Amino acid sequence: MYRRRELPNLYALAGGGALFADFDVDGEVTAQGHQWTTAASDSDFVQRTWPAYYSDRGLVQNPGWTGPQADADTAHGNVPLGFDNPYGDYEDLSKLGAWSNPWISYPAGRFLFDDLAAHGVSFEDFGEFISRTEGGDVVPNVLAHTDTTFPGWNRFLLDTDRARLATRWIDAHRNGFPRFLYIWLPDDHTAGGAPCYYTPDYYVADNDAATGRIVAALSRLPVWRHMAVFITEDDAQSGADHIDAHRSFLVAAGPWIKSGTVETAPYSQVDMLRTAEAILGIPPLSQWDANARVIDGIWRATPNDAPIAARPMEVARAVNPGSCSRYTRLRRKAGEHGQILTRASIAAQAYTPTSLLKVAGPEQLRQEWIATHGLASYLRLQAYLARLAARRHAPLDAFIANEGD
């Protein structure tokens, strides 16, 4: 859907490193995807509850995340403190207070960060949720390696702002760098055609610019010679693919990655995690990564540690047309300065949650494709996928992401 104009850095990193042509996610949606990406498994609880969450009927919260237990009063603008707070996952860490405790949703082996901390491997987590104990506490040796100033989910805090925080931290730790970094950049999720949100092209381009700046900062470090960088997404939700709706992208970059490699061997998120475990010398988290493969075929015999230059963004900032609440406009205005709205500043403002996080995959694809390429292009895509499904005697949902609603 997106090309070099929106993704100059990703195209450059793929051309200078390795692009995986048969890489698949192991879940279908965000609720599973973050667990497969960071735990090589998801839990029975998540498998049973995510369809109810994605039905958007208010039956359950998003399984796996800490969240505010009170609902927003959308009619009167009474928004609980933290409802729109991208730092909420890091607050009330020694007590639950008004926050939910999702410990029941965790995989049996918990997460990569727990594994790293337990085995004394230095790391830093930017943006990924951190797990709690049954009593609601965050394990101190995990919290110590979590940047709590790095914002989580918020549609109006842009990835280039996140990259500024991450690169500042990277530069400050250039002489005492951890062995593992995890950085979450959510802008390529986009907001489809939602009024007053940034356009899909701009969100994707902003995500790409942030990625390029972070990799460039890493390549200027003394330890760059020993690094491998893997760039992927947690799920392929709401995408269309001519092979399978689970297919996603994986790009590997760094001094030890062979330039211009197109890896056609089949791999998945679990293989990527197994590769990180093998490099770091830590045991697997589940039966899935215990039986996964370490990625092969992409490594150089000698490193090329030349620094990588970040490509500039080529897409101008633009906003989807349409009417929205004053609260949404204020959120965007605050986000332009890297800020969020406080409870005091949103008093008496109507809250209208507009996010495609729970919109069915085919509908999100429709909105995003039309916003990017127009209606005629979308109709051609649908016709092509329908012909392809008929030829393969497969349902159309095999090629268009389907959340199972």
Side-chain angles (χ1 to χ4, degrees):
M1 195 185 308
Y2 299 99
R3 301 180 176 89
R4 291 180 187 272
R5 175 177 174 271
E6 296 85 18
L7 299 168
N9 288 284
L10 196 59
Y11 271 85
L13 290 167
L19 174 65
F20 289 70
D22 193 359
F23 182 78
D24 289 283
V25 297
D26 295 284
E28 284 72 45
V29 297
T30 301
Q32 305 157 294
H34 282 257
Q35 296 208 355
W36 282 106
T37 308
T38 60
S41 178
D42 69 344
S43 66
D44 179 70
F45 180 84
V46 168
Q47 284 292 97
R48 290 174 183 270
T49 56
W50 73 258
Y53 169 70
Y54 278 81
S55 74
D56 202 18
R57 289 174 289 181
L59 301 175
V60 295
Q61 283 191 323
N62 195 349
W65 271 267
T66 300
Q69 298 196 61
D71 291 330
D73 182 349
T74 58
H76 302 95
N78 296 320
V79 183
L81 185 63
F83 190 88
D84 190 37
N85 184 359
Y87 309 99
D89 196 36
Y90 309 129
E91 297 179 355
D92 291 325
L93 292 175
S94 61
K95 62 183 184 305
L96 286 175
W99 297 90
S100 64
N101 182 11
W103 66 269
I104 194 174
S105 72
Y106 300 153
R110 294 179 74 87
F111 299 94
L112 176 63
F113 309 115
D114 299 282
D115 207 15
L116 292 167
H119 291 88
V121 177
S122 58
F123 69 94
E124 193 73 13
D125 169 23
F126 295 86
E128 188 57 75
F129 68 88
I130 49 179
S131 58
R132 297 174 182 263
T133 66
E134 185 174 349
D137 299 326
V138 174
V139 179
N141 58 359
V142 172
L143 180 59
H145 300 283
T146 301
D147 190 326
T148 58
T149 68
F150 192 88
W153 179 259
N154 184 297
R155 300 287 60 221
F156 293 113
L157 290 180
L158 293 170
D159 283 349
T160 44
D161 291 324
R162 292 180 175 89
R164 185 173 64 252
L165 294 172
T167 54
R168 185 183 303 158
W169 189 96
I170 288 168
D171 291 339
H173 292 79
R174 59 185 298 107
N175 295 318
F177 211 71
R179 294 193 61 202
F180 180 80
L181 236 63
Y182 187 105
I183 302 177
W184 182 61
L185 301 173
D187 272 1
D188 61 342
H189 184 287
T190 86
C196 298
Y197 284 69
Y198 296 112
T199 63
D201 281 5
Y202 184 73
Y203 271 128
V204 169
D206 185 79
N207 174 268
D208 180 79
T211 301
R213 293 171 192 177
I214 289 171
V215 175
L218 293 172
S219 75
R220 296 191 296 265
L221 295 175
V223 293
W224 172 242
R225 182 180 178 87
H226 307 288
M227 282 193 187
V229 179
F230 293 95
I231 304 168
T232 189
E233 57 186 2
D234 63 282
D235 64 70
Q237 175 186 341
S238 308
D241 190 81
H242 67 290
I243 293 178
D244 190 276
H246 290 83
R247 194 169 79 136
S248 183
F249 74 88
L250 173 64
V251 169
W256 292 94
I257 309 298
K258 288 191 294 187
S259 179
T261 300
V262 177
E263 180 55 63
T264 58
Y267 288 107
S268 81
Q269 292 168 313
V270 177
D271 299 303
M272 181 183 66
L273 195 58
R274 179 72 191 98
T275 303
E277 292 166 348
I279 292 171
L280 298 169
I282 58 176
L285 291 157
S286 74
Q287 62 174 324
W288 308 115
D289 51 338
N291 290 285
R293 295 175 299 162
V294 174
I295 293 173
D296 195 9
I298 65 171
W299 308 102
R300 300 167 54 98
T302 56
N304 174 13
D305 58 359
I308 292 176
R311 267 67 173 178
M313 192 189 311
E314 300 177 19
V315 177
R317 181 175 292 192
V319 175
N320 290 327
S323 61
C324 59
S325 70
R326 185 180 177 214
Y327 174 67
T328 300
R329 294 194 298 272
L330 288 173
R331 285 184 66 205
R332 193 181 72 218
K333 190 69 176 177
E336 291 174 358
H337 304 285
Q339 305 293 322
I340 64 171
L341 294 181
T342 64
R343 186 172 185 174
S345 66
I346 62 175
Q349 301 297 328
Y351 179 74
T352 307
T354 309
S355 170
L356 287 179
L357 185 61
K358 293 185 286 183
V359 172
E363 172 60 17
Q364 180 168 347
L365 168 68
R366 185 189 70 80
Q367 291 188 31
E368 193 166 339
W369 197 286
I370 292 173
T372 301
H373 296 302
L375 178 60
S377 174
Y378 172 73
L379 294 176
R380 289 194 297 272
L381 169 73
Q382 290 292 93
Y384 166 73
L385 292 176
R387 292 194 302 271
L388 186 65
R391 283 202 307 272
R392 297 189 182 181
H393 305 288
L396 185 60
D397 284 348
F399 307 101
I400 301 179
N402 175 32
E403 281 81 39
D405 287 355

